[in-house]
Every structure is written in structure tokens, then in C-alpha cells.
Amino acid sequence: MNQEELGAKQTAKLKQLKDQVIVITGASSGIGLVTARMAAAKGAKLVLAARNEAALKELTEELQQAGHEAVYVRADVGMEEDVNMIAQTALKSFGRFDTWVNNAGVAIYGNAMDVSYQDMKRLFATNYWGVVYGSRTAVNHYRDRGVPGALINMGSVFGDRGTPIQSIYATSKFAIHGWTESLRMELEKEKASVSITLIHPGMIDTPYNEHARSYLKYQPVHKGMIYPPEAVAEAILYAASHPKRDIYVGSQAKMFQLLGANFPRLTDKIWEGISLRTQYDEKRKSNSPEESNLYHAGYGMHERGTNLGWKRKRSMFVKAAKHPVLTRIIVTGISVWAVLKMKRNS
């Protein structure tokens, strides 16, 4: 029995999405917005949280008019009392929650030696402490109820491998990865019925870059292979009802993790050479600091951003995570075929 199967066995069965109450932070745009719409379409009841109250209200009314059950709460996840308020809203409205998605996040583009300590601390308040507050709130709720629940934390390709220009963001994601893995082991040791999943997205086509605090001359963007937010939402909602340890969204996310772990110096050199030109658009001036969402809510109700490159329609890694046995059979078959072909040609 592999590690993931063991973890799944120790975690009691999670509810189907149609029977769940799901909390989603960062629900006003990007991945959170897409996840909310997708979860509602599958019958889940939703508790939506973000700093942009106008966007939350618009989204909630949209879902309610379509016949779905949803409530919202304006909250800054960097403040513990606001996270408590999210949980209280869920309890008041639905009496419980079954999945908690720590999705809210902010970004900074700038060299490590240039970014102010104040900006660093603000990013960590949202990205790291928001996840810690949300994680503990969710785990305590599941323990109190004595009913299985899911906790889903949003990691990043840059939580597995550092990067120039987004060094502060990457550091916060490394912290989230460490927190998630450590918490998971502690809860497994006590045999708690909590499924903890870490999502590892690659470059995703959201307004992430437009919302970011930028120290750059040119506008931050994603370039290259870019995945749709629907692929991340699909991973999140699968993990909500199926215990999974990790789900990678996009081949680049898994590739960087493998290369960084096995060939760290080579990976440093490769990424040093290509990272700069893949993270900004030299045809556009960078947004001003005042336009970022670091200290206040950014604009809402936008699923996608203004990124450049090959925009994929799906992530095969997510599909593989949903069908692990079939994936192993296919990989084994391809491997056997390759070996036989090599023998015939030798």
C-alpha cells in the first residue's frame, strides 16, 4: 500500500460535493471565483470570503439567482478575527462546513534585496498566516463535530522551487508547503479524520499578475505554457471529496519539482537564464503600487488575466490524479512497449 492509499484509508470517507458546505477564501476573482461557480454547479452550498465585498455580493446574487445556496462574508484572511468570522458565518448559515479551501493570496514582483520589509510582512500576513488561521479553524471544527472533513491549501510551483523576481511570494509558498506537510503528519499520527491536500499549480491564467505589487519597470505577466483556472478548480473539488496528498496542476509544476529535487544546480542555471523574460511584458509599463491588492481589495469578478503564451484547455496531471490506477496501467504499458521496442532494435 503506497503512502497516498494509506492516508486515504486512515481518513474516513468524505461527502459527495452535492452534500457539502464549502468555504472558499479569495473567492472574488481568479481560481476562487471559478471554483465557486464550479462547486455551485455541482450542488455544493458555499461560504464565499474575500476583501472585495461588492464582487462577493455580485457573485452570491448570481449563484442564488441560478438556484444555488451561497452566502458571503467580507474578510481579510491575514486577520485571525476575520477568519473566525468566516467560520461563524458558515455555522450560522448552514450549521457546519465540510471543506475549507485556503485559496486567498497576494503576490510581489521584485528582487529580494529591493522589496520593503513592510511589503514582505503584509504578503506573509495573507499568504502564510491566512493559511495557518484557516487550517486551524477547519481542523478544530472537524474535531469538534467528530465528522470527516477536507482542508485544501493552495501551494505553488514556486513552493517547490525558488525563483528570481518573485522571491518573497516563493518564500511564503515554501512556508505553506512546510506547514501543510507538518500538520498532515501530526493529524495522521493521532488518526484524525481530516483529509489535507496541497495543490501545486503551475502558471495559471488569472488576474494574479495585475493584482500583484510590482517593483518592476514592465508589467508582470505569465509567459509560456499557461493553464486555465478551471484546471485548478477541478483539482480542488476532486480533493474535496477524495482524499489526496498532493495534486500538481500542469506539467511544469511537476517538472520543476523533480528537476529541483534531483538536479538543483542545473535547475538554478536554467531558471536564472529564462525566468526574467517569462515574468513580464516589455511592451507594457508596470501598474503602480496603488493598483495592487497587497493592502486593499483588487478588482473582482475576473476569472482570467492578460497573460501571454500557449493557453492550455486542461491539465493532464489533474486528470491523472483523478484516475491513478488507470494512469499506472497506461504508464506501465508504455514502459513495457518501449523496452520491447528497444530489444527488437538492438
Side-chain angles (χ1 to χ4, degrees), residues 32 39 73 95 105 132 153 183 188 213 218 233-234 256 288 296 302 328 342:
V73 52
V132 171
N153 290 342
L183 178 62
E188 282 185 347
R213 165 68 170 98
Y218 300 113
E234 182 181 5
F256 262 74
S288 67
H296 57 77
H302 286 244
R328 291 192 193 104
M342 289 173 62

Side-chain angles (χ1 to χ4, degrees), residues 161-221:
R161 165 100 304 249
T163 180
I165 299 182
Q166 294 190 67
S167 52
I168 314 307
Y169 176 81
T171 304
S172 73
K173 291 299 183 178
F174 267 84
I176 289 169
H177 287 207
W179 162 262
T180 303
E181 291 182 358
S182 301
L183 178 62
R184 182 191 292 115
M185 287 189 288
E186 291 178 357
L187 293 176
E188 282 185 347
K189 186 173 178 61
E190 70 177 59
K191 295 181 170 56
S193 293
V194 182
S195 172
I196 301 182
T197 301
L198 182 64
I199 307 294
H200 304 246
M203 291 190 291
I204 309 299
D205 187 15
T206 71
Y208 164 95
N209 313 86
E210 285 84 356
H211 286 165
R213 165 68 170 98
S214 176
Y215 283 72
L216 306 181
K217 179 180 179 181
Y218 300 113
Q219 176 60 30
V221 296

